[in-house]
Amino acid sequence: MELNKTETLKRIISEGSSYRSLFFNHPDAIYVMDIEGNHIDANPSFERLSGYKIGELAGVSRDRISPPESETRREQFIEEVLAGHSVSESMAFYHKDGSVKHAQVTYIPITEDREVVGIYGIAKDVTDKVKMERELQETQEKYQVLAEHAQDLITTCTTDGTLLYVSPSVYTLLGYEPGEVTGKSLKSYCYPGDYPDLLALSSVGNGCKMRVLHKEGHYIWMETLAKPVAGEQGEVSQIVSISRDITQHKDADRRLRESRQRYKSLFEYNPAAVYSLNLEGEYSAVNSNMVQMLDIPRSKLIGRSFLSNLEKSEKNKGEAFFELVKQGEPQYYETRVVSSSGRKIEVSVTNVPIIVDKEMVGVYGIVSDITERKEYTERIQELSKQHELILNTVTEGIYGLDTDGVTMFMNPAAASMFGYEADEFIGKSSHPIIHHSRADGSYFPKEECPIHMTVMDGHARSVMEDVFWRKDGSSFLVQYQVTPIIDEGQIRGAVIVFNDVTGEREIVRAKETAELAAQAKSEFLSLVSHEIRTPMNGIVGMTELLVGTDLSEEQREYAQIIQESGDALLNILNDILDFSKLESGKMALAYEPFSLRKMLEQVAELFKPRADEKHLEIRFRLNPSIPDYMAGDAMRIRQILVNLVGNALKFTDQGSIDVTVDMIKGSRPEDTVLDFAVEDTGIGIPADKLDQLFQSFSQLHPVINRKYGGTGLGLVISKRLVEIMGGTISVESTEGKGSIFRFAIPAARVEASGKKSASEFQHDRTRQSDKVAMRILVAEDHPVNRKILQEYLEKLGYQADVCTNGVEAIDAISQNAYDIVLMDIHMPVMDGLKATDLLHRLIPEDRIPPIIAVTGNTKREDKEACLEIGMRDFISKPVMLSELKRVLQQWGPSDEPRLAPN
């Protein structure tokens, strides 16, 4: 069997010319063994590596080829290869000449039909590498002995700074155990910015100085020398470094440099001119400012007497001061020096003796140019005179304090307001004299005084109202500004500028009183309105019921007079309330989409009965280009139209009334303007009376007033409403022929939509609710109002349950299923708002019927409060039959969705 494998092996290795070429020319030894480990074939490199030809090995004993340990490993490898595995390892062997060689040997199985028939062997000579590694190890062992006993820090690291070895001295120098830092990056221990370029450092063999982190948290200055360690290919693989603690040397060097720098800075960079003189008064050193001041080169100044630079008249004084400083006494004086160009310079001089080992060796001098300061002082004196003139002229009170609050100056206006002579005030603490008490007479602590605070913290303060006290003990209201006096960054005091605002405050208080009075008037009118509407509800309601009964002609005439009078009184009441709102500025606008066509139809329907009575025609013309919906305050626009059409109808007995509406388009939808005109053929207005039309309570003529009635507020209210909506109103009239009233207001265009708004459902719905059975609850405490509601409901074909307060209403709704509830707002025990709120808390929503507020309050905010609390709609007192019919139609039983009013 083995013989057959050997023959197969020989056949395999003899085939393939490419293989043979690679086999014979490969630089590594390649050989073939049979499965017993005998050499069958080898390339020329095998002979170069082992010294044997392939034929010579058959008669050579194995102990002459391999050391025992290598032979044992070889046999193990052969077994692994026969099992189908490749192996590779460094092995020792004997050269033919007897020397020991090392090779990296790789065994690869040779297979035929999945059966191992032989072994390839590939051997690479690594003798030199092994020798080098052994020598390196021996060197490292010696190096380690040296490193472990050295006082300096010895380290080995990779080129990226990873520490491979750290000598034990690291504990003495830096407080770390070697194991704590081995494997860490050197960079993590270096002070930021000190970490060197390791390759550059080692390549030039230079040292570097860096700060290294001690375990206790401070840094140690160390000087480091580094050398590279080359790898197999000659590249730098490791860096060995030796570091020494130079902290003390660094500190000493730093102190020396700081001392020199301080002296150099004091001498050379001093803003003044600095020099030193020998005992003869000659310059031994000068700084650049001295050179610049005198405009003389440094080389010419050295060795020259300082007296040569003084003005002639100052030389004797300079010499006398020099003799005094030579006696060891510092001298300070002012003099004049002359530059090379002849410019005279005012200077202050400081001379101090230079004493070494108790011996006077020279004089140190500092010269400061005070020319500008002297000129400035002179200008200040001049300005002080001008400022004093200004202070004495201004009408505001002005006085100044030092940091202790003592008055430094005071102008005549301030002294006059305080009732003092200025001399009485200056030099005294101001707070106890003029600011000791508050307006109520209570003590005013100095620490809480804004003036004192500014003196302390340097922040300017403005006080709109405070009290100062005069010499005679009286007080006056002041407005003042306190500003700190700051010189060279230091607070030196404060300046107070004040005005007597007693008269101004009286005007403000009068204005506030008037505003409060106006507010009280508005509240009074609102209260009176509510109280009047309750009996008005009885008058109007009962009259309407009375007119609907069987009456004689005379009785019907009387009832209609009462009805018309009630309507007139109600209109007057509404006008007064609207006027009150406008006067107090509380008239709020609500911008919502509305149908202008529907609005005109409503106005036409409102005035049709009266127009028919007078045999007048009212025509409404709407420009077809106006969109179906506009955005604006529909209620206020309708109110203006009703006022103007009502006036036209009142003063026109024959002819017609024309109402036209046009639109002026802007570039944007919100820039659109609606233009209204109401033209009549009535009595007209005299030209000299036109300017009185829009004045409060204005009536053009007593006779007209007696005939037609009215408060004279309708046009005033219309004008105010137009103006607060951003529009204009005007009139054209010819006496005896008629009038045209025009008003234009902004109203944005609204794009058409497929959905109906709430207002469309509310104008479009015409269900006949009087044909639908409804269960109704009336909650009303006033017997007349209760009676009217019951009678109205009976006229419409309904019966109603009644209760007199909110508690009874809650009890009734809890026990019965009502279709609609008419709830008065003001009732005893519990009002309507509270009752509605509790109902929504106590009863499931699907069991709560629509609750309609019945209120005498006509303000928008009151109506909004009703809706917010959970009520669905509201009707105002006096209740009109048409309004009652509307809410029944809208909120009675229906399959259609119910929508709240706009």
Side-chain angles (χ1 to χ4, degrees):
M1 182 65 178
E2 286 73 9
L3 182 61
N4 292 336
K5 289 184 178 181
T6 302
E7 291 302 321
T8 301
L9 179 62
K10 289 180 178 180
R11 177 177 55 79
I12 291 172
I13 63 177
S14 66
E15 294 175 351
S17 59
S18 298
Y19 161 76
R20 299 302 296 174
S21 176
L22 175 66
F23 183 78
F24 281 103
N25 293 292
H26 201 283
D28 294 336
I30 301 176
Y31 51 96
V32 180
M33 298 182 293
D34 61 18
I35 59 176
E36 299 295 334
N38 299 313
H39 291 77
I40 303 300
D41 195 10
N43 69 352
S45 296
F46 178 85
E47 183 178 349
R48 288 195 298 271
L49 179 63
S50 66
Y52 291 103
K53 295 182 179 179
I54 191 65
E56 296 176 328
L57 289 175
V60 179
S61 173
R62 294 302 307 174
D63 59 0
R64 290 180 58 190
I65 297 175
S66 301
E69 63 275 10
S70 295
E71 185 62 27
T72 301
R73 292 296 294 149
R74 176 176 174 273
E75 291 174 357
Q76 294 173 351
F77 290 165
I78 290 174
E79 291 179 4
E80 291 185 38
V81 173
L82 292 178
H85 306 293
S86 297
V87 294
S88 180
E89 189 171 303
S90 178
M91 296 176 61
F93 65 93
Y94 295 124
H95 193 270
K96 184 178 181 180
D97 62 9
S99 62
V100 178
K101 297 284 188 178
H102 293 270
Q104 182 71 28
V105 178
T106 301
Y107 287 168
I108 303 171
I110 302 173
T111 61
E112 174 77 8
D113 295 332
R114 299 184 179 180
E115 184 177 11
V116 178
V117 298
I119 302 170
Y120 275 125
I122 302 173
K124 181 181 182 65
D125 188 358
V126 293
T127 304
D128 292 340
K129 178 182 178 183
V130 171
K131 182 180 179 181
M132 186 183 300
E133 288 177 350
R134 183 178 293 114
E135 290 174 353
L136 178 61
Q137 183 177 358
E138 291 174 355
T139 302
Q140 286 178 339
E141 289 174 354
K142 294 177 183 178
Y143 158 75
Q144 187 169 356
V145 172
L146 175 64
E148 289 178 353
H149 292 85
Q151 293 184 350
D152 292 338
L153 177 62
I154 300 174
T155 63
T156 302
C157 67
T158 61
T159 55
D160 65 358
T162 302
L163 292 166
L164 304 174
Y165 171 78
V166 182
S167 66
S169 60
V170 70
Y171 180 79
T172 304
L173 293 170
L174 297 172
Y176 301 102
E177 294 292 343
E180 290 183 74
V181 294
T182 302
K184 306 286 181 62
S185 173
L186 173 62
K187 190 172 185 178
S188 62
Y189 295 96
C190 284
Y191 186 84
D194 287 359
Y195 184 70
D197 183 335
L198 295 177
L199 290 176
L201 177 66
S202 61
S203 64
V204 296
N206 291 331
C208 74
K209 296 175 182 178
M210 57 182 166
R211 285 159 287 187
V212 182
L213 182 66
H214 193 278
K215 189 173 182 178
E216 294 180 355
H218 60 277
Y219 284 91
I220 301 296
W221 274 102
M222 304 197 83
E223 185 174 35
T224 299
L225 294 175
K227 291 290 183 182
V229 177
E232 294 182 10
Q233 305 298 327
E235 78 282 1
V236 176
S237 61
Q238 297 178 6
I239 299 171
V240 177
S241 62
I242 301 176
S243 303
R244 176 169 297 173
D245 184 353
I246 59 168
T247 303
Q248 291 184 352
H249 173 73
K250 269 284 187 182
D251 288 344
D253 183 60
R254 176 178 54 79
R255 288 193 296 270
L256 178 60
R257 282 188 286 103
E258 287 178 355
S259 177
R260 289 174 177 172
Q261 187 61 40
R262 280 196 297 269
Y263 173 77
K264 181 178 180 181
S265 298
L266 179 64
F267 189 87
E268 186 60 37
Y269 301 113
N270 196 304
V274 183
Y275 60 89
S276 62
L277 305 173
N278 59 23
L279 294 180
E280 285 70 41
E282 298 168 341
Y283 293 112
S284 57
V286 294
N287 72 352
S288 57
N289 284 337
M290 190 71 182
V291 171
Q292 184 177 358
M293 177 184 287
L294 298 176
D295 195 21
I296 299 174
R298 193 189 304 264
S299 58
K300 291 187 177 181
L301 278 175
I302 302 301
R304 183 174 177 175
S305 172
F306 79 97
L307 294 174
S308 64
N309 300 119
L310 295 180
E311 189 184 36
K312 289 182 181 180
S313 61
E314 297 289 314
K315 288 186 178 181
N316 290 337
K317 182 170 70 173
E319 190 172 10
F321 279 113
F322 184 70
E323 291 300 322
L324 290 173
V325 77
K326 282 169 62 177
Q327 298 173 18
E329 295 293 332
Q331 299 298 312
Y332 312 94
Y333 60 96
E334 294 182 359
T335 186
R336 277 185 300 280
V337 297
V338 182
S339 69
S340 63
S341 62
R343 184 173 71 92
K344 294 180 181 180
I345 306 166
E346 299 283 344
V347 295
S348 66
V349 178
T350 298
N351 279 342
V352 294
I354 303 174
I355 299 175
V356 179
D357 296 330
K358 299 182 179 180
E359 181 181 357
M360 177 81 173
V361 296
V363 173
Y364 185 79
I366 301 175
V367 177
S368 298
D369 186 343
I370 61 171
T371 305
E372 288 187 4
R373 191 184 76 186
K374 282 206 164 190
E375 293 174 352
Y376 179 73
T377 302
E378 292 172 358
R379 289 199 301 271
I380 287 294
Q381 291 174 348
E382 180 62 29
L383 286 173
S384 294
K385 294 179 182 178
Q386 296 177 7
H387 290 167
E388 184 177 359
L389 180 61
I390 294 171
L391 284 174
N392 292 343
T393 305
V394 295
T395 58
E396 288 87 356
I398 303 174
Y399 66 97
L401 308 175
D402 63 15
T403 52
D404 295 321
V406 174
T407 307
M408 297 186 294
F409 62 87
M410 175 178 286
N411 74 340
S416 174
M417 281 188 267
F418 287 131
Y420 287 93
E421 294 293 332
D423 294 341
E424 296 180 82
F425 211 100
I426 294 173
K428 296 179 181 179
S429 179
S430 67
H431 187 81
I433 301 175
I434 64 169
H435 215 192
H436 49 78
S437 301
R438 293 190 171 92
D440 60 1
S442 61
Y443 174 65
F444 194 177
K446 183 178 181 181
E447 294 73 21
E448 299 177 14
C449 171
I451 297 172
H452 175 73
M453 292 167 136
T454 295
V455 172
M456 293 295 101
D457 61 23
H459 296 301
R461 288 175 171 83
S462 181
V463 178
M464 300 308 295
E465 186 173 306
D466 204 342
V467 169
F468 282 170
W469 296 85
R470 299 188 183 94
K471 183 178 181 179
D472 61 8
S474 62
S475 64
F476 60 102
L477 291 174
V478 291
Q479 175 183 327
Y480 64 86
Q481 174 79 30
V482 52
T483 306
I485 301 173
I486 298 178
D487 182 31
E488 297 180 352
Q490 298 294 318
I491 301 172
R492 305 298 184 187
V495 174
I496 299 90
V497 180
F498 67 94
N499 284 295
D500 183 344
V501 295
T502 306
E504 295 177 13
R505 291 298 180 265
E506 288 175 352
I507 294 171
V508 171
R509 289 193 178 98
K511 179 177 176 293
E512 291 172 350
T513 301
E515 289 173 348
L516 288 173
Q519 181 179 353
K521 180 185 73 174
S522 176
E523 292 174 356
F524 171 75
L525 286 173
S526 179
L527 177 63
V528 168
S529 166
H530 181 269
E531 293 303 320
I532 291 176
R533 281 178 182 274
T534 298
M536 280 294 297
N537 190 39
I539 295 170
V540 174
M542 286 299 184
T543 303
E544 188 169 4
L545 290 172
L546 180 62
V547 170
T549 63
D550 291 330
L551 300 174
S552 66
E553 288 300 320
E554 185 179 14
Q555 289 172 330
R556 184 171 301 280
E557 182 183 357
Y558 295 162
Q560 287 176 344
I561 291 172
I562 295 172
Q563 189 177 36
E564 290 173 359
S565 299
D567 290 342
L569 183 58
L570 186 59
N571 288 334
I572 292 170
L573 180 62
N574 289 337
D575 283 350
I576 293 172
L577 286 175
D578 282 344
F579 181 74
S580 175
K581 289 179 187 177
L582 289 166
E583 285 287 290
S584 62
K586 294 183 178 180
M587 179 67 76
L589 299 178
Y591 288 91
E592 299 171 337
F594 68 96
S595 170
L596 189 57
R597 187 175 303 279
K598 294 287 185 182
M599 177 189 292
L600 295 178
E601 289 174 359
Q602 290 173 350
V603 175
E605 185 179 353
L606 178 65
F607 290 107
K608 186 177 185 305
R610 289 175 58 191
D612 290 344
E613 285 179 8
K614 300 182 74 172
H615 305 290
L616 295 175
E617 184 180 4
I618 302 181
R619 295 187 293 261
F620 289 85
R621 295 188 182 90
L622 182 66
N623 190 318
S625 66
I626 297 177
D628 289 341
Y629 285 92
M630 303 291 289
D633 192 324
M635 184 176 75
R636 298 306 174 190
I637 297 173
R638 182 179 183 275
Q639 183 177 354
I640 297 167
L641 275 175
V642 168
N643 274 341
L644 296 181
V645 175
N647 274 355
L649 190 58
K650 181 191 300 184
F651 297 110
T652 303
D653 294 324
Q654 58 183 0
S656 63
I657 298 170
D658 291 297
V659 179
T660 58
V661 186
D662 257 319
M663 181 176 69
I664 304 172
K665 288 186 178 180
S667 58
R668 300 176 300 173
E670 57 268 29
D671 294 335
T672 302
V673 174
L674 288 177
D675 190 20
F676 295 84
V678 178
E679 183 176 2
D680 64 57
T681 57
I683 63 174
I685 305 166
D688 60 345
K689 301 290 185 180
L690 285 175
D691 59 347
Q692 300 177 28
L693 273 181
F694 298 106
Q695 296 180 15
S696 302
F697 302 100
S698 173
Q699 290 151 341
L700 302 184
H701 194 279
V703 174
I704 295 176
N705 182 42
R706 284 195 297 271
K707 179 178 180 182
Y708 297 104
T711 61
L713 290 177
L715 290 178
V716 176
I717 292 170
S718 297
K719 182 176 185 293
R720 299 280 182 88
L721 289 174
V722 168
E723 289 173 347
I724 65 174
M725 286 191 283
T728 59
I729 188 169
S730 62
V731 61
E732 302 170 14
S733 184
T734 302
E735 189 174 6
K737 293 185 178 180
S739 306
I740 304 175
F741 284 83
R742 303 181 189 276
F743 70 97
I745 55 171
R749 302 193 301 273
V750 177
E751 299 299 329
S753 161
K755 297 181 179 179
K756 285 189 176 183
S757 66
S759 59
E760 285 182 276
F761 279 112
Q762 187 174 337
H763 295 326
D764 290 345
R765 188 172 179 187
T766 58
R767 184 176 55 82
Q768 297 296 323
S769 61
D770 56 343
K771 295 181 181 179
V772 180
M774 279 192 284
R775 189 165 184 187
I776 302 170
L777 174 67
V778 173
E780 170 63 68
D781 65 303
H782 197 284
V784 175
N785 293 339
R786 193 163 59 242
K787 176 68 173 174
I788 291 171
L789 285 172
Q790 287 179 292
E791 293 290 337
Y792 276 175
L793 290 171
E794 287 180 7
K795 284 179 70 70
L796 295 173
Y798 301 106
Q799 296 293 323
D801 295 342
V802 295
C803 59
T804 60
N805 59 58
V807 174
E808 293 177 0
I810 292 174
D811 184 58
I813 295 169
S814 301
Q815 299 182 32
N816 303 286
Y818 291 104
D819 294 306
I820 196 166
V821 177
L822 303 176
M823 181 83 74
D824 185 28
I825 297 302
H826 298 285
M827 293 186 292
V829 183
M830 181 184 292
D831 63 38
L833 291 177
K834 182 66 173 177
T836 303
D837 184 44
L838 285 176
L839 280 169
H840 283 279
R841 295 171 184 267
L842 299 174
I843 299 177
E845 288 293 325
D846 59 352
R847 287 190 52 207
I848 300 176
I851 300 174
I852 311 301
V854 182
T855 174
N857 295 336
T858 59
K859 293 189 292 186
R860 180 182 293 273
E861 53 266 33
D862 295 325
K863 295 179 180 179
E864 289 174 352
C866 295
L867 298 178
E868 288 175 4
I869 207 68
M871 294 180 168
R872 308 301 292 275
D873 205 337
F874 46 82
I875 52 178
S876 299
K877 295 179 181 178
V879 178
M880 299 297 180
L881 184 61
S882 57
E883 272 292 280
L884 182 59
K885 186 175 180 180
R886 178 187 65 80
V887 297
L888 293 177
Q889 288 176 337
Q890 183 170 349
W891 299 106
S894 172
D895 293 332
E896 298 180 37
R898 290 170 173 169
L899 299 174
N902 288 334

